[in-house]
Each structure stands twice: as structure tokens, then as C-alpha cells.
Amino acid sequence: MSIMVPSKTPALITPGRQALDSALYQLDQAAEHLGLDDGLRTVLATPRRSLTVSVPVRREDGRLSVVQGFRVQHNVSRGPAKGGIRFHPGTDIHEVTALAMWMTWKCALVGIPYGGAKGGVAVDPTGLTTRELERLTRRYVNEILPLIGPEKDIPAPDVGTDEQTMAWIMDTYSVSAGYSVPGVVTGKPTTLGGSLGRSGATSRGVQIATLAALGRSPEGATVAVQGFGKVGALAAQYLADAGCKVVAVSDITGAVYASAGLDIAGLRTWAAETGGVSGYRHADALPLDDLLELDVDVLVPAALEGAITEANAPRVRARLIVEGANGPTTPEADEILAANGATVVPDILANAGGVIVSYLEWVQNMQAYSWSSGEVEVKLRDLMESAFSEVKSMAAARGLTLRQAAHVIGVGRVAEAHQMRGLYP
Ligand code: NAD
């Protein structure tokens, strides 16, 4: 008796696989536009190095748990690999590969000399004590040690990781090297060589991209932000500071709404004290997914991939979507939003502020020198605004969406680097 195995059982189509399919589709569209040959397309579609590791962790009660970790270097043709490390139970090798690929195009698009990488550990960090998290981080870093280094591959924070995680990574790497190596990670605490302005850099970039795309005064423009973590909370704050009315925000605990505008500073304090936005007294509760469909001027998805899909895209009413998260909009949703006349500022442009200031941090570390927050902010603004206007001009000149234009520029630069370097041997 033969057993029929469907080629794609639902259980195998993880959110990570969907993210990778989206990334490959976007690459394909850009490659088609650029007329790249099949060989080069295959090179660009394939990660240069992928490492899967097992990370044993001793729990407080003496038990031993083993979790899977990943580090993927998608491309290093333009410089060392660069990309965050995510601690999330749903992460897998496909998701990490997609995120690494987006990092490659993002660095090329904003003109910083890096390739793309990403790391992940399939774990829920909220279920671990601080000491368990430290042991997990150090052991994961030890397992990926052959790949990382200030001239090879430089991690940074992402979902579920923060400055403390980066400090442990820097220490673990430095202990192994025998001397302090601050340039091995970015997003570190400033006492360890972190850059002024790094912690708010992604959100500042989201603010710059939003104001550039808005096409009107920000005063009173209504905004909804999905995700109230490192990116979303400060994006909401900076948009409110610019005069926007942030009427709704959400995190994994729930969504809150106030038609007169939320007090974002008060909400940040509430979320820090209680662990989430849910229950905030000066706002109404909202079903989590309703936030995406609110009648607002600007929607900022700043949580995870796959938030806007073909299922909810027809009900998205915001005219401007600014992707603080990586991969929040699926290609099917993209088409629906474009057909409905909405503008999407794509992830590889909108959230590039983080890697821009990470680059500035690394440059400061390599020179053992530090810049003022004002100097960092000027450089960030320069790079964001020039990338934005390049993407906008390319989109207008060639009749592309902002995402297509951003990918054509990013993929085109990486393809050119490959062609100039030639193939070894
Ligand atoms: P984080 O872990 O600090 O925050 C993630 C937030 O999303 C949390 O508030 C969480 O509760 C919320 N969330 C998760 N699922 C949700 C859901 N279904 N609905 C509403 N909220 C939900 O992570 P972060 O660093 O802020 O990253 C967020 C996104 O931005 C990710 O896509 C990440 O890759 C991207 N990004 C981060 C940086 C950075 O510098 N941290 C840079 C570029 C891009």
C-alpha cells in the first residue's frame, strides 16, 4: 500500500515559510525588472551560510531544556553580514532566512557597506528567568561563534532581545577572544560602546519615513500602531511628538483606543509597569485585529510578519501604511492595498533607521570614538531622507510601487557588487 503525502501539508507551511515565500517573490519581481540572469537570481535567492544549532539550557529547577537556534548570512558581497537576533517561540530557519534576505536589500538600499544576516532562537523569553536567559544567550552565542565577529557578522537586537542581550553577547565573544570587542554587536548599552540614539533609531526612522510620505501636515493626522515593543512604542511617541494623533496601539496583551488621541508617554509607563497596554485606564479596549482596520490616516504595523494578508487587506482603511516591522504585508495583500489606492512604505526603507544607527555604532567602535546624539541624528536623517527620495523617484519614473522600487534599488546594488567582484574560482 502506498502512502500519499501531499507536497505541502498545512502543518509545514509555517509563518516563517510564508515570510520566505514573500521575500523570494519580491526578489523575483525585482530580478525580472532588472533583467538578471537565472544564475545570478539563484545566487541572490540562496543564503551564503546557514547554521542551525541546539542550545541546551539549565533551568532554575535543575531540568535541562534544549532549544533550536539559527544564524543565517544571506549575502556578504558588499561587506560584513549584519542583522538582529530574535528570541521568539515561532521562529524557524525559513523566517530567519527571509529576515536575513531583507537585511541584504535594506543595507544596499540605504547605502551602508553591509550584507544581510539574521539570527533566532525558538524560545519564549518571557517564560525564562533572567539567569536562564543569560545562560541561553551565552550558549547560543558560543554555538554561532565561528560565524560572528566585527569584521564578519555583527548581531543586533530584534524581537524578544534588547540591550542586555547584546551586552551578554559582547561579553561572551570578548571572553573567548581574550580582550574586549565592542564592535561584535550593536544596540549595546552606551556604557559598553553603544551609540547614542541607537535605542530609538528604528522608530525615529519610521517617523522620518511617515512624515516624508504623508504629503500633508502631521498635525492631527490619525495613526494606529500595531506592536508596542522597542519599535512600536517609540514610533508612536515620535509621531505624537510630531503632532500626529495616535488613536490606537496594540501589543500581544490587547489593543487600546482613544478617539481624542492616546497619552503615549502615560501608556509607555503603564505598559512598562504592567507588562502590556491592556487595561490602560484612559482608553477603550479594542479587539486585537480590529486595530488594523481602523479608519485612520496612517497604519504602522510594528509587530511581526504576516499581519496584513489577503483576508484583512480589503478592510484596511488607512491610506498610508508604514512598515515598522519586517514583512508585515504579504504579496497578496500588497496587491489589494495598491488596487485600493493605499501607499505602503516598505519595511526595507521604513525601518532602516535601526541598521543605519547600528552601522554608525560599529563605525564608532572600530575607531574607538563616539559621536554626540545630535551628530548621530543628522547622519540618520540624511541617509533615511536620501533613500526615501531615491525610492520615490524610481517608483514615479518606472511606474512601480514604493516596495518594488526599493527592491529594484537594493537588489540591483547587490547584483552589481556580484558582477564587479566576479566568481571565485
Ligand atoms: P519587540 O519584541 O520589542 O516588540 C514586539 C511587539 O509586538 C511587542 O509589543 C509584542 O507584544 C507585539 N506583538 C506581537 N504579536 C502581536 C500581535 N499579534 N498583535 C499586536 N502586537 C503584537 O520587537 P521589536 O524590536 O519592536 O520588533 C518589532 C518588529 O520590528 C519586528 O518585525 C522586527 O524585526 C522589526 N525591526 C526591529 C528593529 C529593532 O531595532 N528592534 C529594527 C528593524 C526592524
Side-chain angles (χ1 to χ4, degrees):
M1 190 183 74
S2 66
I3 300 171
M4 295 287 292
V5 181
S7 60
K8 273 190 173 181
T9 57
L12 294 180
I13 308 171
T14 61
R17 182 66 239 186
Q18 283 170 347
L20 183 54
D21 286 348
S22 297
L24 289 170
Y25 174 82
Q26 292 157 359
L27 166 60
D28 217 47
Q29 273 202 319
E32 194 66 35
H33 191 90
L34 290 160
L36 302 184
D37 66 47
D38 286 351
L40 189 48
R41 284 185 192 212
T42 309
V43 167
L44 298 179
T46 316
R48 175 76 180 268
R49 296 189 183 96
S50 295
L51 181 63
T52 299
V53 297
S54 295
V55 186
V57 194
R58 182 72 64 195
R59 307 297 298 269
E60 300 296 6
D61 62 7
R63 277 181 305 130
L64 192 62
S65 303
V66 181
V67 294
Q68 271 205 318
F70 314 95
R71 185 74 188 169
V72 173
Q73 296 175 350
H74 169 255
N75 192 287
V76 289
S77 60
R78 298 180 59 263
K82 183 86 186 82
I85 289 177
R86 174 173 293 194
F87 287 176
H88 188 274
T91 201
D92 62 18
I93 188 70
H94 303 304
E95 180 185 63
V96 174
T97 305
L99 291 164
M101 191 180 294
W102 284 321
M103 281 302 293
T104 301
W105 318 140
K106 190 183 302 182
C107 293
L109 172 63
V110 297
I112 55 179
Y114 284 140
K118 206 79 181 188
V121 179
V123 72
D124 177 5
T126 62
L128 300 178
T129 66
T130 304
R131 290 187 330 166
E132 287 170 341
L133 257 184
E134 178 175 353
R135 287 197 287 270
L136 167 91
T137 304
R138 290 183 182 281
R139 184 59 188 252
Y140 164 69
V141 171
N142 199 61
E143 298 299 334
I144 65 164
L145 214 50
L147 292 195
I148 63 170
E151 270 135 4
K152 299 196 287 186
D153 181 353
I154 306 115
D158 192 75
V159 172
T161 56
D162 58 15
E163 285 191 349
Q164 177 61 76
T165 325
M166 298 307 114
W168 290 328
I169 296 176
M170 181 228 161
D171 183 67
T172 307
Y173 187 90
S174 299
V175 166
S176 148
Y179 51 93
S180 285
V181 188
V184 69
V185 280
T186 57
K188 301 174 291 291
T190 47
T191 42
L192 295 176
S195 178
L196 294 172
R198 173 60 185 90
S199 58
T202 310
S203 317
R204 179 66 71 200
V206 169
Q207 182 212 39
I208 293 168
T210 306
L211 300 187
L214 199 54
R216 53 160 278 192
S217 155
E219 207 57 48
T222 51
V223 179
V225 180
Q226 183 204 34
F228 206 65
K230 295 184 295 298
V231 177
L234 282 177
Q237 182 71 68
Y238 296 153
L239 287 169
D241 294 347
C244 295
K245 191 159 74 165
V246 181
V247 294
V249 303
S250 65
D251 65 12
I252 199 67
T253 67
V256 290
Y257 175 84
S259 58
L262 294 159
D263 166 16
I264 300 300
L267 194 48
R268 284 170 57 214
T269 305
W270 170 263
E273 282 168 1
T274 65
V277 300
S278 173
Y280 183 58
R281 277 192 309 285
H282 311 291
D284 298 324
L286 193 72
L288 204 52
D289 291 337
D290 286 12
L291 177 134
L292 299 168
E293 300 169 17
L294 287 174
D295 189 8
V296 286
D297 297 312
V298 185
L299 174 63
V300 180
L304 294 171
E305 303 93 72
I308 308 174
T309 66
E310 61 189 322
N312 60 3
R315 296 191 299 277
V316 169
R317 285 183 280 174
R319 300 292 77 203
L320 178 62
I321 292 116
V322 183
E323 295 184 331
N326 287 304
T329 312
T330 65
E332 297 82 3
D334 246 349
E335 278 186 24
I336 296 167
L337 295 173
N340 289 346
T343 299
V344 179
V345 184
D347 45 11
I348 62 169
L349 174 60
N351 69 35
V355 75
I356 289 172
V357 179
S358 273
Y359 164 64
L360 299 176
E361 179 173 326
W362 178 76
V363 171
Q364 292 169 79
N365 293 159
M366 299 310 256
Q367 300 177 92
Y369 189 72
S370 58
W371 291 318
S372 70
S373 54
E375 285 172 299
V376 170
E377 175 138 3
V378 167
K379 292 179 205 299
L380 165 65
R381 190 169 290 281
D382 262 10
L383 287 170
M384 280 299 296
E385 287 178 347
S386 62
F388 187 88
S389 74
E390 263 188 284
V391 169
K392 198 174 164 193
S393 308
M394 160 83 77
R398 303 206 187 174
L400 301 173
T401 63
L402 295 181
R403 188 188 315 282
Q404 288 164 339
H407 276 81
V408 166
I409 296 170
V411 171
R413 285 182 183 155
V414 179
E416 194 186 337
H418 273 273
Q419 279 154 342
M420 294 302 292
R421 286 180 61 155
L423 185 63
Y424 174 87

